[in-house]
Amino acid sequence: MRDILPALHRWYAAGEPFGLATVVSVSRSAPRDPGAAMAVGPGDEVVGSVSGGCVEGAVFELAQEVMASGEARSETFGYSDEDAFAVGLTCGGEITLLVRRVSPADDPSFGAVAESVAAARPVTVATVLDGPAPRGASLAVWPDGAAGSLGSRGLDAAVTADARGELALGATGLRHYGSGGERREDAVTVFLNSFAPPPRMLVFGAIDYAAAVARIGDFLGYRVTVCDARPVFATPKRFPDGVEVVVDWPHRYLRETATDDRTVICVLTHDPKFDVPLLEEALRRPAAYIGAMGSRRTHDDRTNRLRESGLGDDQLSRLRSPIGLDLGARTPEEVAVSVAAEIVALRWGGSGAPLAATGGAIHRPNLL
């Protein structure tokens, strides 16, 4: 929903009701993850997608019905090969949607949620999917506050505590409770949609390859920072708009920068005096991906230096070097695609093999 929030916020600020359809659960080879959203606003304007085109027409009609009635609806779409004209998913998966009307009267906290997401402040939105609690009721939860209600104080208290836990992980999914918030019951199903700040991509070495990696990192939704100790190379004009450029020694900058389990670190310095102390710092801290550019000879020399600095096999096993997948890349842009492909494959458990040469489900559960 993050991508369509500007339009939603505009409609909300103008007092225009809109129908919001959100994917709350998926199974098998579903095309979109929980949290994906589509909205129908004034003048039948549509933003977003819940299936990549398979069921959007049916969802459009459903959203119009919900806007007219004001009553939230839950709908499941799956695959049907018995009726050629049935609305379903061609991929064979299944998605469940919650469709509700949103306006200042229906959801007084939505504006604050949209502002938090735009400002990269973490927030979780809890919405009732089914059960004795009012379907579509929502509760917005921040690390230090909450707004709205799911219908009972006990349920609000339990969901608030769980939502803060999910927010710390950036997790989204369904939770089940009793009508008074009892955690061992399943009378009420609540969808927790967490909006954590974008993950960070730290690119070290302001070379041509760094500009291409920064560009594709920005495209993938990372908050990108490029760092280099050489001011002649670390200039903002060499990098895409929105990419932060820092002049500092890489290891010193990383030492003073917070990382987490979603952070991507790309070491493109290709110089032992920069990359060895930098990797020594990187491999001792949390990160989703740590990759370093260089030949196999460079990698062997670098590994020996890192081992001499005290790093063990477990730490060294986290290093993806030489960086990227084997795509035969030559240009900086092609290398950036190779690096991005490895990051995506590691995140989702992909093999990097051609899909035509694999079997089983295409979409895997999130691993990071």
Side-chain angles (χ1 to χ4, degrees):
M1 191 169 69
R2 188 189 304 273
D3 294 339
I4 66 174
L5 269 175
L8 306 190
H9 199 192
R10 185 177 72 250
W11 297 337
Y12 187 87
E16 299 278 3
F18 56 89
L20 179 61
T22 306
V23 177
V24 297
S25 70
V26 302
S27 66
R28 299 190 299 277
S29 184
R32 301 297 303 273
D33 291 327
M38 168 182 159
V40 179
D44 290 339
E45 181 181 352
V46 177
V47 294
S49 170
V50 292
S51 74
C54 298
V55 301
E56 271 67 11
V59 175
F60 174 80
E61 295 179 1
L62 184 59
Q64 289 183 313
E65 295 173 7
V66 167
M67 281 194 291
S69 68
E71 296 182 2
R73 299 265 299 274
S74 175
E75 190 79 24
T76 297
F77 294 92
Y79 178 75
S80 174
D81 58 0
E82 297 177 356
D83 183 353
F85 297 98
V87 175
L89 302 177
T90 59
C91 60
E94 184 176 276
I95 60 173
T96 298
L97 306 177
L98 175 66
V99 187
R100 64 189 183 100
R101 186 175 68 186
V102 178
S103 70
D106 296 303
D107 188 350
S109 64
F110 184 86
V113 170
E115 291 173 0
S116 293
V117 175
R121 293 193 299 268
V123 60
T124 293
V125 179
T127 311
V128 174
L129 179 61
D130 58 35
R135 176 178 287 163
S138 66
L139 173 70
V141 180
W142 291 268
D144 56 356
S149 176
L150 303 182
S152 76
R153 293 179 61 184
L155 184 58
D156 288 347
V159 171
T160 296
D162 289 346
R164 288 191 176 129
E166 298 292 274
L167 189 57
L169 301 173
T172 287
L174 297 176
R175 286 292 188 98
H176 302 279
Y177 305 88
S179 58
E182 300 87 351
R183 286 188 171 84
R184 296 195 177 189
E185 298 183 19
D186 58 2
V188 181
T189 302
V190 177
F191 177 60
L192 300 181
N193 194 2
S194 297
F195 297 92
R200 297 200 66 181
M201 173 182 280
L202 306 177
V203 181
F204 294 97
I207 59 177
D208 289 345
Y209 292 97
V213 169
R215 187 176 299 110
I216 203 166
D218 181 66
F219 175 75
L220 291 175
Y222 287 91
R223 175 188 163 200
V224 182
T225 299
V226 175
C227 175
D228 197 303
R230 302 163 295 181
V232 67
F233 294 114
T235 60
K237 67 181 181 181
R238 300 185 66 232
F239 297 93
D241 293 339
V243 171
E244 179 186 27
V245 180
V246 174
V247 179
D248 200 350
W249 279 82
H251 71 281
R252 183 169 61 190
Y253 174 76
L254 182 59
R255 186 181 302 138
E256 298 172 355
T257 300
T259 63
D260 59 28
D261 290 337
R262 301 184 302 152
T263 303
V264 166
I265 299 173
C266 299
V267 179
L268 312 181
T269 47
H270 207 269
D271 186 330
K273 70 175 178 289
F274 289 123
D275 58 18
V276 170
L278 171 59
L279 287 170
E280 183 181 353
E281 176 68 30
L283 292 168
R284 296 182 189 277
R285 57 170 52 231
Y289 174 90
I290 303 171
M293 178 175 281
S295 66
R296 300 194 189 280
R297 179 178 178 180
T298 298
H299 168 72
D300 292 341
D301 175 71
R302 190 163 46 205
T303 299
N304 290 334
R305 291 170 183 261
L306 290 170
R307 200 179 299 278
E308 290 171 1
S309 72
L311 293 179
D313 290 340
D314 288 346
Q315 293 165 313
L316 291 171
S317 69
R318 300 174 61 206
L319 178 60
R320 317 288 290 195
S321 174
I323 196 170
L325 295 186
D326 180 14
L327 304 183
R330 293 291 186 272
T331 68
E333 291 74 19
E334 290 174 344
V335 170
V337 170
S338 166
V339 173
E342 184 174 43
I343 292 170
V344 172
L346 181 63
R347 178 181 181 186
W348 295 99
S351 66
L355 285 173
T358 64
I362 294 175
H363 303 287
R364 295 171 173 82
N366 192 358
L367 299 180
L368 299 179

